[in-house]
Amino acid sequence: MFVYYAYFEGTYPPAHCSNPVGNCSAGDSFLEPYIATHNVVLSHATAVEIYRTKYQAKQGGMIGIVISAPYYEPLTNTPADKLAAERALAFQIAWFLDPIMYGDYPPEMHEIIGSRLPVFTAEDRKKLSNKLDFIGINQYTAAYAKDCMFSPCTSAYSLGESMVYVTGERNGILIGDTTAVSYFYVVPSALEKTVMYVKDRYNNTPMFITENGYAQSSAPISDSLNDTKRVEYFKSYLSALVNAMRKGADVRGYFVWSLLDNFEWLDGYTIRFGLYYVDFDTLERTPKQSAKWYKSFLTETNSTAASKRHKYRRNMFTPL
């Protein structure tokens, strides 16, 4: 997200971009994003190398990377739009993970970007061979992908240079219910499909869902506490996650975004993701309905799991 918005669109600091993408005072939308990503990947490789050699044996910890990972569905059932959806995922997810897992940028990017993609040296590849222990997935939503390589588009740059036009609408119908973030639609299947994409592309490397949550516009506490839509969101997304795990996805943990209402990027305090309502003047915290539901959900889940373990152990020692 930082690379795309800061160095392609230029809407985030340091606000670098170039025509026809945007009108910034500095930058090159068709070069700087790839340099920035290259540095992100090499920084990851360096950090992993240091952790592996100096700290991991003593600490027994895991080290990984977190990716922003919306899912993309083909706008139509045509081969062109199916390929567009694959390109969209490559330009969103594989752009960062393929170099770490396989030592190079995805073929979908090589085909379009060509020589503008930086090259990894032999020393870089040696560092990258340390890979990672887990992949963190920030997943909220899905959108439709329309081909712009072989079809006309109103905007060829809605997802970088992937030649994909991204939209939340098909035949006048939205892909899911809207939220306070305009491009975050409620699409529970997106979580399952994203996890399965990462599972299949990266040999079922252990995964953590590091962000998943529902955005509401800032409102008085009386309106914010009864967040039934957030509760329904979690119910449906957690169900989708269980589907992926039943299909063999090695998911080790799940983190709600967020425990508290917070300062949300350029939206500041106007959007609330928290399970707890925060009065930003006094910093008083009040549990929303979602916090109470989630506590109950975790308690019941742990209780059920404990009961199953007890039953299993009891059966182990039952005389034949």
Side-chain angles (χ1 to χ4, degrees):
M1 290 184 71
F2 175 78
V3 166
Y4 181 80
Y5 290 118
Y7 292 101
F8 184 77
E9 281 195 353
T11 51
Y12 285 10
H16 281 207
C17 69
S18 60
N19 289 321
V21 178
N23 184 24
C24 300
S25 59
D28 185 339
S29 296
F30 305 99
L31 184 61
E32 288 189 356
Y34 309 113
I35 296 172
T37 296
H38 202 68
N39 287 329
V40 168
V41 170
L42 292 178
S43 297
H44 165 86
T46 300
V48 171
E49 181 182 53
I50 293 170
Y51 190 70
R52 292 258 195 265
T53 56
K54 293 189 176 183
Y55 303 105
Q56 191 163 32
K58 179 171 61 177
Q59 296 180 353
M62 300 172 70
I63 188 167
I65 197 169
V66 175
I67 51 169
S68 174
Y71 193 76
Y72 296 98
E73 298 276 7
L75 180 65
T76 69
N77 204 32
T78 61
D81 282 354
K82 289 179 180 178
L83 288 173
E86 292 179 14
R87 287 199 307 277
L89 290 166
F91 272 73
Q92 182 86 40
I93 299 173
W95 185 9
F96 290 84
L97 288 180
D98 269 26
I100 295 169
M101 302 302 288
Y102 302 123
D104 199 1
Y105 292 107
E108 297 94 335
M109 295 192 73
H110 275 288
E111 182 182 358
I112 295 174
I113 310 304
S115 61
R116 284 180 288 132
L117 280 175
V119 176
F120 293 105
T121 66
E123 183 180 353
D124 294 338
R125 291 177 187 275
K126 184 179 178 182
K127 282 188 177 182
L128 286 167
S129 67
N130 285 305
K131 299 188 188 321
L132 41 67
D133 299 319
F134 71 89
I135 297 169
I137 299 172
N138 291 356
Q139 215 297 322
Y140 294 87
T141 191
Y144 294 118
K146 179 186 184 302
D147 172 67
C148 295
M149 190 174 288
F150 306 104
S151 314
C153 287
T154 55
S155 172
Y157 299 118
S158 67
L159 190 62
E161 290 188 81
S162 62
M163 301 302 291
V164 174
Y165 176 67
V166 175
T167 176
E169 184 178 316
R170 178 167 62 189
N171 299 327
I173 301 173
L174 295 177
I175 194 171
D177 290 341
T178 57
T179 69
V181 176
S182 61
Y183 50 90
F184 278 8
Y185 302 95
V186 179
V187 188
S189 62
L191 182 55
E192 177 183 351
K193 291 178 179 179
T194 300
V195 167
M196 295 305 293
Y197 174 85
V198 173
K199 170 187 177 292
D200 293 341
R201 189 160 184 137
Y202 304 110
N203 302 315
N204 206 14
T205 296
M207 291 167 272
F208 287 86
I209 308 305
T210 39
E211 282 189 28
N212 178 242
Y214 183 87
Q216 288 182 305
S217 298
S218 190
I221 185 170
S222 56
D223 297 327
S224 295
L225 294 184
N226 189 30
D227 57 344
T228 54
K229 289 186 177 180
R230 182 173 286 110
V231 172
E232 293 305 313
Y233 178 97
F234 286 131
K235 286 180 179 178
S236 58
Y237 272 73
L238 286 166
S239 177
L241 180 59
V242 169
N243 289 341
M245 295 171 69
R246 285 174 175 158
K247 294 175 183 177
D250 187 2
V251 179
R252 303 288 181 92
Y254 171 90
F255 294 85
V256 166
W257 189 264
S258 174
L259 176 66
L260 307 170
D261 292 332
N262 61 289
F263 189 91
E264 184 63 32
W265 292 84
L266 296 184
D267 292 305
Y269 295 118
T270 65
I271 289 177
R272 294 178 181 267
F273 275 96
L275 298 180
Y276 281 76
Y277 180 92
V278 177
D279 184 316
F280 294 124
D281 293 322
T282 65
L283 299 186
E284 182 182 359
R285 303 167 181 181
T286 307
K288 302 176 187 177
Q289 182 182 341
S290 57
K292 298 172 183 177
W293 174 84
Y294 195 51
K295 179 180 180 180
S296 174
F297 167 77
L298 293 176
T299 302
E300 290 175 8
T301 301
N302 289 335
S303 175
T304 301
S307 175
K308 287 182 177 179
R309 287 194 299 269
H310 175 74
K311 183 178 180 181
Y312 172 72
R313 289 168 183 154
R314 184 185 64 205
N315 289 343
M316 285 178 65
F317 299 102
T318 299
L320 295 176

